[in-house]
Amino acid sequence: MDKHQKEELSRLGVEGVRFVCSMAQHTTFRVGGPAESLYEAKDVENLRRVIAFLNREDIPYLVVGRGSNLLVKDEGLEGVVILLRGPLAGMAQEKTDPSVSNLRAHDMTVYAGAGLPIVDLLIHCRDSGYGGLEFLAGIPGTVGGAVAMNAGAFGKEIGDRVKEINVITVGGDVVSRNRSQLKFSYRALHMEKKSVIIGACLKVDTVTGKTVAKKIADYLKRRKESQPIEYPSAGSVFKNPSNDYAGRLIEHAGLKGKKIGGAMISEKHANYIINTGDATAKDILELLSLTQEKVRKETGLKLEPEVKVVGR
């Protein structure tokens, strides 16, 4: 960005704009170089103006939740990183579908801002007695990120629970997309390029808080037993190929415990690359590439990364 663009961004973003910000504190890998600019969006009106401006000026931008599926290169990234805060990271009152005459347990919905952490969504559901989303327990992301990548675990996906999303288009307009207009696939939501999810309406079941709490605890227990949650990571590094598991293929290739610099393939779950304390993005990328190469030589399959790599 040139000086004029930076001044205009600061004006549009009010007090939420900072420059040259380390991304290590905004990713669960705890690595990454500086973002040219970081904008904390706290209301829809300012955000839509900023989005429209960035597209007019052809300035790249990236919406980041908690960075749980993101690897930022050590050289950092150009443009603007957008963080959703305030009401954009809040919880709205639950509501029922007015077109339904006889209310059933699965007709209830909750509306969550895209910046709301998954953990806070589940706390609300537990306290309110709303079930159906417990499988998300332990995913260290936000609602928007989970919807954008159709996050899933234990055979379930959030796309099956999405009734509607609100987005800001490239031109800065706020529009709604209902479930029939959304195309989900494995770890993806196919939507208009550069549009930004600002909230999602999710279907929930009316149960008891005790039932929700028990299911959340069960899922967390399963994660703790099978995943290296004690180390910084980005979750599963590779997508599972058809009719197989990336972790099994990586383990079969003898790569469990393989280390490059401070990055290591977890000995607990082979589809996790963990930061043992002093990893760089370069270490992680080299280990990711080595894993792909070794598995391809062993099986003929090319593993597709689930983690998104960005930066210079």
Side-chain angles (χ1 to χ4, degrees):
M1 287 183 286
D2 59 30
K3 181 180 178 182
H4 171 74
Q5 289 172 326
K6 289 180 179 179
E7 289 174 350
E8 181 65 8
L9 175 63
S10 294
R11 185 185 72 79
L12 290 171
V14 194
E15 299 175 350
V17 177
R18 290 178 282 150
F19 296 96
V20 191
C21 301
S22 170
M23 287 301 294
Q25 61 183 309
H26 296 293
T27 69
T28 55
F29 257 138
R30 297 291 179 259
V31 301
E36 184 178 6
S37 176
L38 189 146
Y39 166 47
E40 293 192 61
K42 297 177 182 177
D43 66 86
V44 174
E45 282 306 304
N46 276 1
L47 177 57
R48 58 183 293 274
R49 293 189 191 102
V50 168
I51 294 295
F53 163 73
L54 295 176
N55 281 298
R56 284 197 307 272
E57 297 292 317
D58 199 26
I59 298 170
Y61 57 91
L62 176 69
V63 180
V64 174
R66 299 182 73 183
S68 61
N69 199 46
L70 190 67
L71 176 59
V72 179
K73 293 181 180 179
D74 296 317
E75 295 75 20
L77 64 164
E78 298 176 345
V80 182
V81 168
I82 299 173
L83 306 177
L84 303 181
R85 300 287 191 253
L88 293 167
M91 199 82 217
Q93 281 295 104
E94 57 277 353
K95 59 184 179 179
T96 57
D97 188 340
S99 66
V100 178
S101 56
N102 296 313
L103 183 63
R104 298 182 300 274
H106 58 274
D107 293 323
M108 185 70 75
T109 62
V110 294
Y111 183 85
L116 183 74
I118 292 293
V119 62
D120 291 342
L121 170 66
L122 292 179
I123 288 171
H124 175 84
C125 288
R126 180 201 64 194
D127 293 347
S128 303
Y130 298 139
L133 299 172
E134 299 91 343
F135 66 93
L136 296 170
I139 294 178
T142 58
V143 170
V147 171
M149 68 166 289
N150 193 16
F154 308 108
K156 302 176 186 293
E157 295 176 331
I158 196 172
D160 295 328
R161 288 281 171 172
V162 174
K163 184 172 184 180
E164 183 179 271
I165 64 173
N166 289 333
V167 303
I168 295 179
T169 66
V170 172
D173 297 320
V174 178
V175 298
S176 296
R177 301 279 188 244
N178 63 43
R179 185 63 182 81
S180 65
Q181 297 172 297
L182 302 174
K183 183 183 177 183
F184 287 97
S185 62
Y186 177 59
R187 298 297 174 265
L189 167 60
H190 306 275
M191 54 188 292
E192 182 185 5
K193 192 175 181 182
K194 291 188 175 182
S195 59
V196 174
I197 299 172
I198 58 173
C201 187
L202 305 169
K203 294 181 289 185
V204 292
D205 305 323
T206 303
V207 290
T208 66
K210 187 176 180 180
T211 298
V212 176
K214 184 180 184 305
K215 286 187 177 180
I216 289 174
D218 288 343
Y219 281 125
L220 289 175
K221 182 174 183 288
R222 290 167 68 180
R223 283 188 181 276
K224 186 175 181 179
E225 290 172 347
S226 63
Q227 300 171 5
I229 59 176
E230 65 273 24
Y231 289 97
S233 78
S236 296
V237 179
F238 297 102
K239 296 179 181 179
N240 288 323
S242 180
N243 300 317
D244 210 335
Y245 295 95
R248 189 196 72 80
L249 295 172
I250 297 166
E251 184 174 356
H252 184 263
L255 291 171
K256 261 191 173 182
K258 175 65 180 177
K259 194 173 182 182
I260 293 180
M264 186 176 82
I265 294 176
S266 169
E267 293 180 325
K268 184 181 281 189
H269 193 311
N271 198 21
Y272 276 64
I273 292 178
I274 59 175
N275 180 353
T276 62
D278 58 352
T280 63
K282 183 173 182 289
D283 294 338
I284 295 168
L285 283 169
E286 288 183 0
L287 192 52
L288 188 151
S289 180
L290 172 68
T291 302
Q292 285 179 305
E293 182 181 353
K294 188 75 181 291
V295 170
R296 184 184 58 78
K297 285 182 178 179
E298 291 272 340
T299 67
L301 294 173
K302 182 178 181 180
L303 292 176
E304 183 181 350
E306 184 170 314
V307 64
K308 184 176 181 180
V309 180
V310 298
R312 296 185 178 94

